[in-house]
Amino acid sequence: MSGMTPSAASLYDRVQRVIPAIEWPVFSDDIDAILRLKRERNAVILAHNYQTPEIFHCVADIVGDSLALARKAMEVEADVIVLAGVHFMAETAKLLNPSKTVLIPDMGAGCSLADSITPEDIRLLRQRYPGVPVVTYVNTSAAVKAESDICCTSGNAKAVVESLGVPRVLMLPDEYLAQNIAAQTEVEIIAWKGHCEVHERFTPEDIREMRAAHPGVTVLAHPECPPEVVAEADFAGSTAAMSDYVGREKPARVVLVTECSMSDNVAVDHPDVEFIRPCNLCPHMKLITLGNIRAALEHNRHAVTIDPAVAARARLAVERMLAV
Ligand code: SF4
């Protein structure tokens, strides 16, 4: 471990269970540079739960699921926000902080859900279902949010749907999230056909095989998984709810049926829990690295911009959600 700067060295203690010592020198130089650049630029880094541990635990100031990042983005006291996550998250941060510079280290960090629906699709759905409110998952572009009545996340979708006081809603674009919420509420939910490319790959057989291979394992699934997968799980919830579950229930063995990095990030705080790690990577989340976070701060790239007319309407849908 020679050659590490003192600040990176002090951070390594925290992540040594999930980052092998041999890999650390690759990260430490960028970590020290990022810590310095954050001070120089009065910048904060917001990181999603699916970011790798050297980002999540070593350079991020605020971490969480989409809902937490959206909420905390509003309270940020900084000139610059770097969003270590995917593009729709950076747009949401910009919507809530229009006067701040919001940077995303790689413009190509998209999302299969966000790509599954366009503003035009929503306008057509409104013609087909007149008067039915449109609830849009935050995993969408600002232009799609602008066509919506209210946003939701996997953490608050049921509460948002029920807050509207109507018998029927359109819930877009995640078909599985819509079906999983429909199973928990009296409100009729009309779904779209979007899927998360990470969660749609899990199958009920995967869960049964994990239970057979790891007796006694507690299975926590994300509600973007197909309903047949959620039915096989012991608990379904957002990444924040999964993390809370592990902290509260302290299962001896657990599997988080979601993106790979989530287990590494939660494992850091729970040395007594054995994590079984099926690995489905989100290729978009993995485009964000320490190297491009550093470059983002050094070169002020890539600044997120949103057409002001679109932003005003999209912000309303996000703010309505945050008020629920
Ligand atoms: S994990 Fe799924 S929902 Fe999240 S960014 Fe990747 S593709 Fe989108």
Side-chain angles (χ1 to χ4, degrees):
M1 303 300 292
S2 62
M4 274 187 342
T5 61
S7 57
S10 61
L11 287 165
Y12 185 67
D13 285 350
R14 182 152 168 70
V15 291
Q16 57 179 326
R17 292 183 59 248
V18 293
I19 301 179
I22 196 164
E23 289 180 16
W24 185 247
V26 177
F27 298 137
S28 57
D29 183 44
D30 282 336
I31 290 173
D32 282 329
I34 291 167
L35 297 177
R36 173 179 53 78
L37 285 158
K38 283 201 298 183
R39 285 193 301 274
E40 287 171 9
R41 298 211 51 199
N42 189 25
V44 295
I45 298 178
L46 272 55
H48 187 264
N49 289 331
Y50 296 159
Q51 292 295 299
T52 44
E54 70 280 5
I55 296 173
F56 189 90
H57 287 293
C58 300
V59 299
D61 301 281
I62 295 172
V63 296
D65 62 359
S66 309
L67 178 60
L69 294 183
R71 280 193 196 286
K72 291 175 190 166
M74 290 202 304
E75 298 155 16
V76 163
E77 300 270 347
D79 299 321
V80 178
I81 296 173
V82 180
L83 202 301
V86 296
H87 191 261
F88 74 80
M89 296 175 181
E91 276 193 336
T92 306
K94 182 68 181 174
L95 287 176
L96 298 172
N97 292 277
S99 64
K100 295 189 174 110
T101 299
V102 176
L103 304 175
I104 181 151
D106 189 320
M107 273 294 197
C111 169
S112 65
L113 278 170
D115 288 345
S116 73
I117 192 157
T118 65
E120 176 63 9
D121 291 328
I122 299 199
R123 288 193 286 270
L124 291 171
L125 283 166
R126 284 200 190 271
Q127 282 173 21
R128 189 158 161 210
Y129 299 100
V132 178
V134 175
V135 179
T136 298
Y137 197 23
V138 284
N139 297 34
T140 47
S141 66
V144 163
K145 289 184 178 75
E147 297 294 329
S148 314
D149 295 290
I150 188 167
C151 288
C152 74
T153 70
S154 58
N156 65 15
K158 179 171 182 277
V160 165
V161 163
E162 293 181 346
S163 75
L164 299 173
V166 294
R168 205 155 73 130
V169 303
L170 282 147
M171 192 172 162
L172 320 165
D174 187 344
E175 181 177 28
Y176 296 145
L177 178 67
Q179 290 171 346
N180 286 321
I181 298 301
Q184 302 168 28
T185 179
E186 299 290 305
V187 180
E188 184 194 340
I189 293 182
I190 304 164
W192 184 246
K193 54 187 186 303
H195 297 143
C196 161
E197 67 188 86
V198 174
H199 293 98
E200 73 174 348
R201 295 208 302 270
F202 291 106
T203 66
E205 292 73 43
D206 292 339
I207 312 288
R208 289 195 283 269
E209 281 167 19
M210 279 185 254
R211 287 199 194 275
H214 307 282
V217 71
T218 300
V219 179
L220 313 186
H222 194 280
E224 287 170 13
C225 293
E228 315 84 79
V229 171
V230 168
E232 293 281 335
D234 298 299
F235 173 83
S238 65
T239 54
M242 286 189 198
S243 184
D244 290 348
Y245 183 102
V246 174
R248 192 176 62 242
E249 304 290 331
K250 305 223 180 307
R253 289 179 143 178
V254 70
V255 57
L256 308 183
V257 183
T258 186
E259 212 269 349
C260 303
S261 292
M262 176 76 190
S263 294
D264 288 339
N265 291 331
V266 179
V268 164
D269 293 320
H270 300 286
D272 301 335
V273 177
E274 181 192 355
F275 286 80
I276 312 300
R277 301 173 198 221
C279 208
N280 281 359
L281 274 174
C282 174
H284 312 289
M285 288 281 179
K286 267 40 205 189
L287 288 175
I288 309 301
T289 63
L290 287 176
N292 60 24
I293 292 173
R294 177 179 179 170
L297 284 164
E298 278 170 346
H299 306 295
N300 204 43
R301 70 185 187 207
H302 305 269
V304 174
T305 54
I306 307 170
D307 177 289
V310 169
R313 290 159 63 216
R315 188 177 308 120
L316 218 55
V318 175
E319 285 173 350
R320 282 196 193 114
M321 168 186 83
L322 294 173
V324 168

